[in-house]
Amino acid sequence: MTRTRLQLSCAFIAASTSFCLVAPCATAQSADSPLTDIITVTAPRVDTTTTDRISPDTQPVISGPDTTHVIARLPGAAAVTNGALSGQLQYRGLFGPRLNIRVNDQTIASGGPNLMDPPLHYAPSTLVERIEIARGISPVSEGPGLGGGFNIALKSSAYATNSSFSTSHDVTITARSADDSTAVRGLFGVANDRFRLHLLGSRETGGDRETPIGRIAGSEHERAVYGFGMAWNSGPHEVALDIRRNETGLTGNPPFAMDIRFVDTDASRLSYTGQFDDLRLELAATSSDVAHGMNNYTLRPAPPSPMRWRETFADAQSHTLEADLAFAAMGGELRVGVDRARSEHDVTITNPMNANFYLNNLPDITMTRTGGFVEWEGELVDTWQGELGLRIDHHEAESGIASTGSAVPAMPAMLAMAANASDRQWDDSTVDAVGRFWRPLSETTTLRLTVARKTRAPGYLERFAWLPTPASGGLADGNTYVGDLGLAPETAWIAEVGFDWSTSNAYARPTLFMRRIDDYVQGVPFDATPGVIDSPVEMVSAMNGDATPLRFANVDAELYGIDTDFGYQIDANWRVDGAVTWVRGKRRDISDDLYRITPPHFRVGASYDADAWTVTLETLATARQDRVSLANGETGTAGQVLLNIHGRWDVRPGVSLALGVENLLDQPWRDHLAGVNRNAGGAVGLGERLPGNGLSAGLRLTVRG
Ligand SMILES: [Cu+2]
């Protein structure tokens, strides 16, 4: 862990005792709310009771192109990796669409039905300025979501302090040996105190990953992002516009049945903030447009029969509108807001060798959510402070008419006809309620309590998939899935208790949590006689190689666990920092474990801080995972211990160089969340869990001014 790791506690202490553990604390800023973690790139890390902040520029260089790995270092977090650029964050056992993840305050509807472009796909780690994490659960003002809330703020320009224009630049170059990858990123800005404008761009390429077990075929990546942003303020009023384009090229997804050929995405956000005496008005409109293609023959050995070649095209468009009003009330701040999100999805499976073979299996789907919330934060009784929120959302989902080409066999064509004859409209309302409370117990300790009811409306694939395919929103369990038109929303009942403790030379922030989830959406056997092929869905699934398809269904589940970060400053130069994560996920309706839950793990690093440089020797110990899901056919993973070293040198003001060496002992190892290989090229066998990097190095040079 780098020096910033400690600054988290110091900013936290700075608020109460104005004492700092390490020198850079002087620049620490306090976050506006005590229930967020913020991971910052340029500024030191700032954490409060409610929020954490992380900055990738200060994080170890070995994390790779995917921002998921930066956040995965937090207590309670882990990375679900489905490809170099398809990582999904796991937080306290929840991942995928169950977490509320935004990039520049924007929710981008993923294009791929298998989440090849999950939210963090749109936030290359080199472009990230800071990551804001709502600890435990997200406030209702940030929208729905069962787990924590994450906002990734990309690099941007900042206003200057006076009316004359000045320019700024921020350039990063990174390279890693494990996949021969390089990334270049630049931001150029011009600003005065009223106006700011910037251009940004990044380009990343990497080859197949080499591991102690051999080369992983189809693990390469290629992505370019460019965009611009501008803002103008008159003091009390500000208007801002942010536009970006993402072009992902050939990028492998070994745990999936296909790889990315392209993901072309445009995203934009227009916002207004106005201060009127005691009132603050915030308005925002966003849109995104994803065009995505994937296939099973470019980055992996093509099926011997051209009849089985597949290329799938998936599109998604989304539009959101938000209006919030904030004002002082009842000894705190009251926020009321309304928001609306609408996304459209369309997926067509084709055979490039036969124009008459196509299945428009997820046709013209529209998902709409219209919501409103009330949220108050302030002083409660005694020394208690709190955040209370209530949100109501109305959800509507509708699917269009499926079509199939003339070369498609009769059975799938029949399934399409049956789907078209069904009632493809659904609507329901959900209610979320959140109470987060904290109070100082002493000079050094703050107690935290959270109780909440949070909901999630099922996604379009879970509801409308009528054709059994391996697409599952990124589960990558090798099963084929169909949806269920009658799925109910998930409801989580959440309780958390923890405390933040910090003294002049030590800190710890443990949390104990419990989440009971009713109507948890999970794959179950398609019918009462699994393995007996007595239905059209099972026949089609068997034709595609899986005689036991699963159907998304509402079941009951629970997750509980404990996690903490901690640190101890030994003397002026030496310190130790670490994090522990332990989470357990179970079904409540049958005796089974939840799928793809991170094994217990423990990370601890010993650091030496000099004036201009810092070096950390770190070990990551992971327990074996044998609590696996029988329903998903999941296999276990052995425990392992890894040793890494990383450091940073602030060469001169504005120039810093970070270096890291991963897996110093070059051990073969496998991350439980890395998924199972389905690419027949390369050295890793089919069905084997994908191995992690061997002894490899990374470097990052940042020049800023
Ligand atoms: Cu895809």
Side-chain angles (χ1 to χ4, degrees), residues 488-507:
E490 297 180 333
T491 302
W493 299 91
I494 299 163
E496 294 179 358
V497 57
F499 61 86
D500 293 350
W501 169 78
S502 67
T503 69
S504 59
N505 62 354
Y507 68 92

Side-chain angles (χ1 to χ4, degrees), residues 31-36 48-51 134 138-142 280 325-336 373-381 384-390 434-438:
D32 17 13
S33 154
L35 289 171
T36 317
T48 68
T49 317
T50 51
T51 314
S138 62
V140 294
S141 54
E142 293 182 0
R280 189 175 73 249
L325 208 53
F327 48 92
M330 297 172 282
E333 186 181 72
L334 188 67
R335 283 180 75 179
V336 292
F373 70 86
V374 185
E375 188 174 275
W376 176 87
E377 185 183 326
E379 298 272 348
L380 291 160
V381 289
W384 283 98
Q385 285 191 279
E387 174 193 294
L388 297 164
L390 183 71
V434 166
R436 303 206 284 176
F437 309 97
W438 62 100

Side-chain angles (χ1 to χ4, degrees), residues 482-549:
V482 290
D484 184 338
L485 292 167
L487 280 184
E490 297 180 333
T491 302
W493 299 91
I494 299 163
E496 294 179 358
V497 57
F499 61 86
D500 293 350
W501 169 78
S502 67
T503 69
S504 59
N505 62 354
Y507 68 92
R509 306 188 307 157
T511 303
L512 186 69
F513 68 92
M514 172 73 172
R515 291 170 168 159
R516 278 173 76 86
I517 305 176
D518 297 337
D519 294 324
Y520 185 84
V521 176
Q522 156 77 40
V524 301
F526 177 74
D527 59 14
T529 54
V532 182
I533 300 171
D534 53 3
S535 68
V537 164
E538 285 166 305
M539 283 177 215
V540 173
S541 186
M543 272 159 46
N544 290 320
D546 183 355
T548 54

Side-chain angles (χ1 to χ4, degrees), residues 112 116 292 294:
M116 282 179 177
H292 168 49
M294 52 187 156

Side-chain angles (χ1 to χ4, degrees), residues 184-383:
V184 185
R185 177 267 297 172
L187 175 121
F188 300 92
V190 57
N192 69 2
D193 57 348
R194 292 279 184 220
F195 180 78
R196 62 177 177 80
L197 180 140
H198 61 265
L199 298 171
L200 65 83
S202 79
R203 180 159 178 78
E204 302 156 277
T205 54
D208 282 346
R209 278 199 298 124
E210 293 289 347
T211 76
I213 289 156
R215 182 179 66 91
I216 303 176
S219 53
E220 64 199 84
H221 70 274
E222 186 182 332
R223 174 171 58 186
V225 174
Y226 39 94
F228 86 97
M230 58 193 290
W232 168 85
N233 81 81
S234 71
H237 305 276
E238 184 190 40
V239 179
L241 175 67
D242 186 38
I243 295 179
R244 285 185 323 284
R245 180 165 175 82
N246 177 100
E247 291 180 354
T248 303
L250 285 177
T251 298
N253 299 90
F256 290 156
M258 291 186 179
D259 301 295
I260 296 172
R261 185 158 75 77
F262 64 89
V263 183
D264 293 337
T265 301
D266 293 301
S268 61
R269 183 175 192 268
L270 178 66
S271 65
Y272 164 81
T273 306
Q275 193 75 46
F276 304 87
D277 297 325
D278 300 335
L279 270 183
R280 189 175 73 249
L281 175 66
E282 293 179 0
L283 304 172
T286 75
S287 81
S288 66
D289 187 340
V290 185
H292 168 49
M294 52 187 156
N295 70 39
N296 68 349
Y297 52 85
T298 305
L299 290 184
R300 61 185 70 206
S305 161
M307 290 308 296
R308 301 199 81 88
W309 287 35
R310 294 286 179 273
E311 185 151 69
T312 296
F313 298 94
D315 295 328
Q317 292 86 36
S318 64
H319 298 274
T320 68
L321 287 172
E322 296 162 28
D324 284 24
L325 208 53
F327 48 92
M330 297 172 282
E333 186 181 72
L334 188 67
R335 283 180 75 179
V336 292
V338 288
D339 40 51
R340 182 174 164 86
R342 177 187 164 94
S343 63
E344 283 146 46
H345 303 265
D346 191 72
V347 178
T348 304
I349 302 168
T350 72
N351 179 338
M353 313 301 262
N354 184 348
N356 293 321
F357 184 100
Y358 64 87
L359 297 122
N360 187 197
N361 62 319
L362 292 163
D364 294 324
I365 288 165
T366 309
M367 309 288 284
T368 313
R369 178 183 64 77
T370 311
F373 70 86
V374 185
E375 188 174 275
W376 176 87
E377 185 183 326
E379 298 272 348
L380 291 160
V381 289
D382 216 354
T383 52

